[in-house]
Amino acid sequence: MAIGVGTLASLSPGLLPRTPGAQAILTALLVALALGVAGMVRFVLRRRGFDINRRLPRVRLPLLGVMSALIAGAATLAGHWQNLLRAAMSTAPIGAGYWLRWLIEAVLIVGVLVGITRGAGWALRKLGWARGVSLAVAMSGFLYLVAAPAVVGWRQATYAGANATLDPALTQPVSAATSGSAASAVSWSSLGAEGRKFVSGAGPARVYVGVDSAPDLESRVALAVRELERSGAFERSNLVVMVPTGSGWIDSNAVRGFDRRFGGDVALVGLQYSYAPSWVTFVFGRDQAVDAARALFTAVENRIRTLDHKPQLYLYGQSLGAIGGSSVFADDADQDRRTCAALWAGPPAGRVHHAGATVLANSSDPVVHWSPALLWRAPDLTGTRPDAPRPQWLPVLSFVQTTADLLAALDAPAGHGHRYGTDQGTALGTC
């Protein structure tokens, strides 16, 4: 019964096409969770003298037949839904091989998880409850005090290493109007991996300051303003403050979009506040995005006030960058007063100031849907652009499916999921 419930939950409709491997992982995790809950329920009932196997032996076979039929029907509907999504996103449909691979991989993963659980149970019975609890407490202490910090440190070192890696395919800019050039006070190596991508290649004037470009936020903001002055960015007619995602990434589609929107008469400035993936920063360091966006925008805004020639000031952010950018302002009126216009692409749960802003949100983007409230109520999708069939909201299940889709949000075809094109710039409003 538990296996069937977990499998049925995993086959409920999601927002994006899914590989058989991704579907198998979700199915296996939900089946393992259902088995765990069922085991606890059975344990409690047995303690109260009620043995399900002895009391209800005749219903097991009919239940098995009903559950098998339900799973077959759910798989058929899931396949139809997958192909509807794939047709809307111009990708190849799935066939019978998809479900064969899903079944094999799901069974293998469940087998491994059950094996680990039973092994732990066997060890607990051998040790006895007192020793087992003592060992569990000791292991928990070890994990909390030693293993967890070690893993966090390792991951931080991994992120830092990726940030420092020099991509030989990228060339250092030669234009003095761009950070990282020989004329720039920001060295090429300090820009970080995403900063080097941002300033490389042809396009508008671009200023970028990496986490390693200066020791703290205040000095990085001051350096960004000096770079804007040195590069002649304040002499342009338009200036866009671009708030990166958690890793420091700024979508190259947005760069091309702003270049088209302003006919090249624009300067772009970004400030890296983290080199961890956006989801890590969103969960553990969201304030970094807010603090960096506020500090940079306020500094640029104050400098523009002192100029005779005042460029029009705009603000852009994608994903976590949209949250950080929108947090610059107290409310919609403050946003309208201090910017010509703002553009938010794929804002998490749509939590941005909307008045006077262009909000780009695909209906298939799990980032736009996801929030803890999705457990008990449907998301507010006002203003999203329909780009694919949208599943009916279901309590708990929609949260589970959307969480699984988050992992592949950037793997969707262009114009779907968390991928937005050059309209990130061309759709920007006017003063």
Side-chain angles (χ1 to χ4, degrees):
M1 185 70 175
I3 294 174
V5 170
T7 302
L8 289 174
S10 75
L11 294 174
S12 58
L15 294 167
L16 295 171
R18 202 170 286 160
T19 65
Q23 183 63 51
I25 292 172
L26 177 62
T27 299
L29 290 176
L30 291 180
V31 166
L33 178 62
L35 286 171
V37 172
M40 287 188 289
V41 170
R42 180 176 294 180
F43 174 79
V44 171
L45 291 177
R46 281 181 175 173
R47 296 277 293 185
R48 297 187 175 187
F50 187 91
D51 190 325
I52 295 177
N53 293 335
R54 291 182 179 179
R55 296 289 185 92
L56 304 172
R58 295 181 180 179
V59 302
R60 296 181 66 182
L61 191 58
L63 273 179
L64 178 61
V66 170
M67 190 58 70
S68 298
L70 288 174
I71 291 174
T76 301
L77 292 175
H80 177 66
W81 180 255
Q82 282 280 312
N83 284 334
L84 285 177
L85 292 176
R86 289 165 183 265
M89 300 181 188
S90 301
T91 58
I94 64 172
Y98 177 99
W99 294 112
L100 179 61
R101 180 177 168 185
W102 160 76
L103 180 61
I104 293 172
E105 294 186 9
V107 169
L108 288 174
I109 297 170
V110 169
V112 170
L113 294 175
V114 170
I116 292 173
T117 303
R118 289 189 173 179
W122 175 85
L124 187 62
R125 288 191 298 272
K126 286 291 184 181
L127 291 170
W129 283 101
R131 290 182 180 178
V133 170
S134 300
L135 180 61
V137 171
M139 287 297 296
S140 298
F142 172 79
L143 291 173
Y144 179 77
L145 296 173
V146 180
V151 170
V152 171
W154 170 68
R155 291 309 302 166
Q156 288 294 334
T158 300
Y159 301 146
N163 185 62
T165 300
L166 292 169
D167 185 349
L170 300 177
T171 56
Q172 184 175 358
V174 296
S175 171
T178 303
S179 293
S181 64
S184 173
V186 180
S187 68
W188 173 245
S189 60
S190 75
L191 286 170
E194 299 300 341
R196 287 187 286 273
K197 293 176 186 176
F198 174 65
V199 303
S200 294
R206 279 155 291 170
V207 166
Y208 192 93
V209 175
V211 169
D212 296 328
S213 298
D216 53 48
L217 176 59
E218 183 178 357
S219 56
R220 286 193 288 272
V221 169
L223 178 57
V225 173
R226 291 198 302 272
E227 273 289 280
L228 288 168
E229 294 170 341
R230 179 201 62 78
S231 64
F234 289 123
E235 298 170 14
R236 306 289 177 118
S237 299
N238 305 283
L239 178 58
V240 182
V241 176
M242 309 185 77
V243 187
T245 64
S247 63
W249 176 65
I250 296 176
D251 196 335
S252 60
N253 288 309
V255 174
R256 291 194 294 271
F258 286 120
D259 195 23
R260 293 179 192 172
R261 166 72 172 77
F262 297 111
D265 188 13
V266 63
L268 312 176
V269 56
L271 179 73
Q272 184 183 26
Y273 50 86
S274 167
Y275 43 67
S278 274
W279 72 267
V280 174
T281 311
F282 182 78
V283 174
F284 300 107
R286 200 180 317 178
D287 289 344
Q288 292 176 296
V290 173
D291 294 343
R294 286 176 177 169
L296 178 60
F297 185 87
T298 302
V300 172
E301 180 183 42
N302 290 338
R303 184 68 183 95
I304 288 176
R305 287 198 186 102
T306 68
L307 302 174
D308 294 328
H309 168 75
K310 293 178 172 59
Q312 305 288 358
L313 183 58
Y314 299 86
L315 187 56
Y316 157 84
Q318 181 181 11
S319 195
L320 181 57
I323 295 289
S326 184
S327 298
V328 169
F329 312 109
D331 50 32
D332 290 350
D334 188 38
Q335 177 175 282
D336 287 347
R337 179 177 60 83
R338 297 171 63 188
T339 65
C340 268
L343 189 148
W344 315 126
R351 290 179 295 183
V352 291
H353 298 301
H354 285 72
T358 300
V359 180
L360 302 178
N362 295 327
S363 64
S364 66
D365 186 352
V367 175
V368 172
H369 287 248
W370 194 93
S371 79
L374 192 60
L375 283 163
W376 62 84
R377 67 166 180 250
D380 181 3
L381 300 177
T382 304
T384 57
R385 53 186 185 185
D387 62 286
R390 196 173 74 202
Q392 178 68 36
W393 173 80
L394 299 170
V396 181
L397 293 180
S398 290
F399 176 84
V400 171
Q401 291 290 342
T402 302
T403 302
D405 284 330
L406 281 174
L407 301 176
L410 282 171
D411 296 334
H416 303 283
H418 200 52
R419 294 188 61 187
Y420 298 88
T422 54
D423 50 352
Q424 289 176 97
T426 57
L428 181 70
T430 56
C431 294

